Amino acid sequence: MSLEQDRVSTSQADIRQAARNARASLSVAERDRGSQRIFEKVVSASWFQRAEYVACYLPAVDEVNTWEIIARAWAMKKRVFAPVVEKNSTMQFREITAETELHANRYGLLEPKTGDIASARMLDLELTPGVACDEENNRVGMGGGDYDHPFSVLKHRGERRRPNLVGLAFACQKVEEIPPNPWDIPLFRTITD
């Protein structure tokens, strides 16, 4: 690791911790109100309306709640896929329905046990969690690079516009600047409350 990479990683670790603390300090009522505002912005957006294959994270306790977005997507006859982190830390996207059985993975996050697999290239839209985000659509996640690997095709996308990577975060998670690592994939946009 070069000195520059070490500086960026340390800076991202500091940003990650501060944003996690800010998110954790929100009350349940504040999270619910923020999630509702984000839901309204997402489902009214043209990029959501047009999407047929939507990947969406299943929220952890203090993240933006995505269940209402998922329910709206199902009501609109969209196919919905949830991320599944495999043992080798690769991410796949497994289809979920209202009847899909979910289980907690090794990180305590919900994942579908069964369902069709979609490659990242098949998706129209990916709603991704962020621990922190900035105005340039850089994001800091949990630090494992799980979202960067499947979407690395977008790093040099040229004309490729799919999938649209949209980050969801509470306003308290927004920071002035995130110095990106060379492997980080920028978002299409970030939606906050």
Side-chain angles (χ1 to χ4, degrees):
M1 182 181 292
S2 71
L3 186 59
E4 179 64 18
Q5 286 175 317
D6 188 44
R7 184 191 67 75
V8 169
S9 294
T10 300
S11 181
Q12 282 196 0
D14 294 341
I15 291 168
R16 179 179 297 111
Q17 190 58 53
R20 287 181 77 179
N21 291 344
R23 183 176 72 188
S25 73
L26 294 173
S27 69
V28 171
E30 288 170 321
R31 276 191 217 108
D32 288 347
R33 282 192 302 273
S35 293
Q36 182 62 38
R37 285 192 290 270
I38 291 168
F39 160 78
E40 291 165 3
K41 290 178 182 181
V42 169
V43 299
S44 65
S46 60
W47 40 262
F48 180 81
Q49 297 286 324
R50 287 190 307 266
E52 293 179 32
Y53 284 61
V54 176
C56 186
Y57 69 94
L58 305 181
V61 69
D62 63 350
E63 291 179 327
V64 172
N65 189 334
T66 57
W67 286 110
E68 200 170 351
I69 296 169
I70 291 168
R72 177 64 62 91
W74 287 334
M76 296 172 72
K77 307 296 185 216
K78 298 176 185 300
R79 292 184 72 183
V80 179
F81 298 82
V84 175
V85 180
E86 300 295 326
K87 287 186 174 122
N88 61 359
S89 293
T90 60
M91 184 178 284
Q92 293 186 326
F93 298 91
R94 192 175 295 274
E95 187 167 16
I96 61 171
T97 67
E99 292 79 35
T100 299
E101 185 178 343
L102 302 174
H103 70 97
N105 68 14
R106 66 183 179 271
Y107 305 112
L109 302 173
L110 291 177
E111 293 181 340
K113 283 189 167 200
T114 60
D116 290 345
I117 300 287
S119 71
R121 291 177 182 264
M122 291 173 60
L123 301 171
D124 299 308
L125 173 63
E126 162 59 35
L127 298 173
T128 180
V131 174
C133 56
D134 69 10
E135 289 294 332
E136 299 298 316
N137 294 314
N138 294 307
R139 73 180 273 279
V140 172
M142 293 302 289
D146 294 330
Y147 281 89
D148 294 318
H149 297 294
F151 299 110
S152 61
V153 66
L154 297 175
K155 187 71 173 166
H156 306 286
R157 72 172 113 199
E159 295 300 310
R160 184 165 175 75
R161 299 288 178 237
R162 287 181 42 213
N164 283 330
L165 300 181
V166 176
L168 305 181
F170 297 112
C172 67
Q173 296 172 258
K174 204 152 196 173
V175 298
E176 188 174 315
E177 181 184 11
I178 295 172
N181 289 304
W183 56 85
D184 288 341
I185 307 299
L187 300 167
F188 169 63
R189 71 173 27 121
T190 304
I191 304 297
T192 63
D193 54 333

